[in-house]
Amino acid sequence: MSKDSQMRAAINQKLIEMGERERLKELLRAKLVECGWKDQLKAHCKDVIREKGLEHVTVEDLVTEVTPKGRALVPDSVKKELLTRIRAFLAQHATL
Amino acid sequence: MSPAGCSHVNGYKVDNWKQNLRVIYQCFVWSGTAETRRRKVRQSDAGWTELAKSCVCHMCGAHLNRLHSCLYCVFFGCFTKKHIHEHAKNKRHNLAIDLLYGGIYCFVCQDYIYDKDMEQIAKEEQRKAWKLQGIGEKYTTWEPTKRELELLRHNPKRRKITTNCTIGLRGLINLGNTCFMNCIVQALTHTPLLRDFFLSDRHKCEMQSNSCLVCEMSQLFQEFYSGHRSPHIPFRLLHLVWTHARHLAGYEQQDAHEFLIAALDVLHRHCKGDTIRDDNGKKANNPNHCNCIIDQIFTGGLQSDVTCQVCHGVSTTIDPFWDISLDLPGSSTPFWPLSPGGDGSTVNGESHLSGSTTLTDCLRRFTRPEHLGSSAKIKCGGCHSYQESTKQLTMKKLPIVACFHLKRFEHSAKLRRKITTYVSFPLELDMTPFMASSKESRMNGQYQQTVDVINNDNKYSLFAVVNHQGTLESGHYTSFIRQHKDQWFKCDDAIITKASIKDVLDSEGYLLFYHKQFLEYE
């Protein structure tokens, strides 16, 4: 594993251990609902299902179609906030 | 995607599968406590390691890429990189669980499947984890029961609520100076939680006679949401009000605020099914003893702190309230300065002597520390003697619907008059500065709100305004109500017209109804 992914894995472990990962997930969920991201993507999913037909569509289809749009639509403010939170957490618990 | 699951799970549903599945959810999907996270789990056949370290792909070590766990053995693999697919093919293990969302994937069906039993386990474990994490209950979409499905099939007529629909709007005929009642009815029928309570048929009547006001309210909601556009004639409601609140009977004009309190009181008394009685068998008019819908929505707690000026001991009482009555400038009691000794000329950089009074000003005055004066000494428990003291009111608990009553009608010994001072009120109101907890933080020197708390709990939105035009002797009540966000209507007895936000905010304002913006499950 590259140094980069080693670092990522180590951070992830720390986040899980301290329960921070769950808290961050909740924060992200709340933010994405607030800014309307969830509704936008829900509408997009419905369009994809309508297109492919309810009987034939698979979760894989939805993931393929929706993931790029989902990633692009996350507002910068939300990304910034999560990043700040993670940085603050690491500053507090840095033994890495 | 079949909601009935797939037949391939039958190979898995043997022996102690339920418990095994629960453990997987508890450990890897919804880890609730620090303990489960630190728990040692089997990392392949090589041995045990801590959970946090074990949740990586056994082929490439990555922890992202939609990690899945095999249900038949200890194996974690990426979904995106197809590592779990390889494992499934090689070992003929057909089922895997998505560690992010808990969905079960069947490699034969090549899709996520929804097995009833497994879904049940997943939901239960998720709820448990939320509870352990202190999140409590979360919103889940409504699913109809068998009986409800039956009813829906037998009653196919549906009413669609669109963003511009006028359902719930209906005029009310004036039965002789009954505009005071009509405007309160408009406000109540547009209180979202109250509307939901009545439209979902939640009142179980225990009254023998036909004089239950709650049943009548239920009928009223049916009338308002029936889709009829002709004005409704609320003669039964009027009669019940006269029966239960004698002081409001008669054909003279009454005070809308008095009517509101009387109506809430009668409704509260008639909600017998939900009320807990105290030891004497009497219904306590106390938020701690009643859980009826009226108390759930309208009852708040007002904290009164009396501080002895000598020993600084504080005596605290908390009283329930349904509304906050605010004094206005122009009444016989002086409004400015807001606190004793203060100059009152600038607060937050705003100059109030030239500008108009705001609702916040009134609230600030309401919650200011007040010297009780040498003629009103209170017996202090600490000093054991009568001492001068200051009294301060703050909000201990805010109701879901906060009603502000601007005291425009002065009935002092010398004069009876209406105070027409314009008070500006906002569409959105943050009650945080007036809370008892804020006062405590300020006193302890904490000026910053903790970053962690997304303090949305004290934010309110305006949804109804009752106005009075005219004089004390003869006047007329009308109301503005919010139908949808940013869509307001003026209700003048039988006449309903579209109104602009400016119309609403420019109006004089007598009763202001605010609704909490964010509601939490308890």
Side-chain angles (χ1 to χ4, degrees), chain A residues 1 5 8-9 12-13 15-19 21-22 25-27 29-31 34 42 49 54-55 57-60 62-63 85, chain B residues 1 29 31 34 37-38 50-53 55 60-61 63-64 66 79 100-101 105 110-112 114 130 133 135 138 452 454 456:
Chain A
M1 269 203 291
S5 27
R8 274 218 191 95
N12 185 54
Q13 269 169 34
L15 288 173
I16 295 180
E17 264 171 51
M18 309 287 305
R21 187 152 201 261
E22 290 299 319
K25 271 214 287 195
E26 280 316 307
L27 175 65
R29 264 203 192 102
K31 290 283 155 190
E34 240 179 69
K42 197 167 176 185
I49 294 172
L54 187 60
E55 294 304 316
V57 70
T58 63
V59 176
E60 214 41 50
L62 285 173
V63 173
R85 267 291 280 257
Chain B
M1 265 197 300
V29 188
S31 28
R37 287 190 293 270
R38 280 196 295 271
E50 268 188 30
L51 165 69
K53 298 198 179 92
C55 270
C60 70
H63 65 272
L64 298 165
R66 287 171 68 196
F79 193 94
L100 203 53
Y101 296 109
Y105 191 87
Q110 289 194 22
D111 199 1
Y112 287 92
Y114 304 95
W130 280 339
Q133 284 161 14
I135 295 174
K138 278 217 274 189
D452 261 300
I454 310 168
N456 288 322

Side-chain angles (χ1 to χ4, degrees), chain B residues 127-140:
Chain B
R127 279 219 167 87
K128 275 192 220 164
W130 280 339
K131 220 170 167 188
L132 288 170
Q133 284 161 14
I135 295 174
E137 288 293 324
K138 278 217 274 189
Y139 169 75
T140 44

Side-chain angles (χ1 to χ4, degrees), chain B residues 121-297:
Chain B
I121 292 173
K123 273 204 183 84
E124 283 169 14
E125 292 305 318
Q126 185 169 46
R127 279 219 167 87
K128 275 192 220 164
W130 280 339
K131 220 170 167 188
L132 288 170
Q133 284 161 14
I135 295 174
E137 288 293 324
K138 278 217 274 189
Y139 169 75
T140 44
T141 32
W142 169 78
E143 274 165 27
T145 61
K146 244 185 172 165
R147 172 82 181 120
E148 283 165 346
L149 278 171
E150 229 184 281
L151 285 170
L152 285 169
R153 261 182 237 124
H154 286 143
N155 297 283
K157 189 169 172 209
R158 302 273 181 273
R159 215 181 284 286
K160 189 166 186 189
I161 312 283
T162 56
T163 38
N164 282 323
C165 74
T166 53
I167 191 115
L169 274 178
R170 221 179 151 185
L172 288 163
I173 298 283
N174 188 319
L175 297 168
N177 277 326
T178 58
C179 51
F180 71 94
M181 178 178 81
N182 288 350
C183 61
I184 297 297
V185 170
Q186 294 290 0
L188 291 178
T189 50
H190 287 87
T191 302
L193 282 182
L194 202 59
R195 173 200 64 201
D196 293 348
F197 175 82
F198 282 109
L199 288 182
S200 51
D201 225 3
R202 304 270 234 96
H203 172 59
K204 305 282 177 264
C205 196
E206 289 184 19
M207 278 184 86
Q208 311 288 33
S209 60
N210 271 346
S211 62
C212 176
L213 190 65
V214 190
C215 289
E216 183 53 36
M217 274 305 278
S218 191
Q219 261 310 103
L220 204 65
F221 273 93
Q222 291 297 321
E223 290 287 343
F224 267 70
Y225 286 86
S226 62
H228 294 316
R229 294 171 77 91
S230 57
H232 174 64
I233 310 173
F235 64 92
R236 252 199 327 261
L237 178 69
L238 186 65
H239 175 72
L240 280 179
V241 167
W242 284 359
T243 313
H244 294 293
R246 290 282 155 79
H247 60 288
L248 291 173
Y251 278 109
E252 325 168 320
Q253 178 70 277
Q254 305 288 349
D255 182 346
H257 174 246
E258 263 199 75
F259 176 78
L260 172 69
I261 300 301
L264 289 179
D265 186 51
V266 178
L267 287 170
H268 157 76
R269 279 189 276 129
H270 287 190
C271 279
K272 283 207 174 97
D274 305 311
T275 313
I276 306 165
R277 292 168 190 269
D278 69 8
D279 292 325
N280 297 331
K282 270 172 67 183
K283 236 168 301 183
N285 183 21
N286 181 326
N288 293 327
H289 290 155
C290 181
N291 205 22
C292 69
I293 188 69
I294 300 296
D295 275 327
Q296 280 179 46
I297 299 176

Side-chain angles (χ1 to χ4, degrees), chain B residues 359-382:
Chain B
L359 178 66
T360 318
D361 291 332
C362 297
L363 282 167
R364 234 178 272 142
R365 184 176 182 281
F366 185 76
T367 54
R368 80 199 185 292
E370 191 187 345
H371 277 318
L372 292 179
S374 50
S375 52
K377 286 189 181 166
I378 305 283
K379 177 118 191 253
C380 171

Side-chain angles (χ1 to χ4, degrees), chain B residues 422-439:
Chain B
Y422 174 67
V423 176
S424 76
F425 47 89
L427 271 184
E428 323 251 295
L429 178 67
D430 190 341
M431 291 291 287
T432 312
F434 312 110
M435 301 296 294
S437 50
S438 300
K439 176 190 159 200

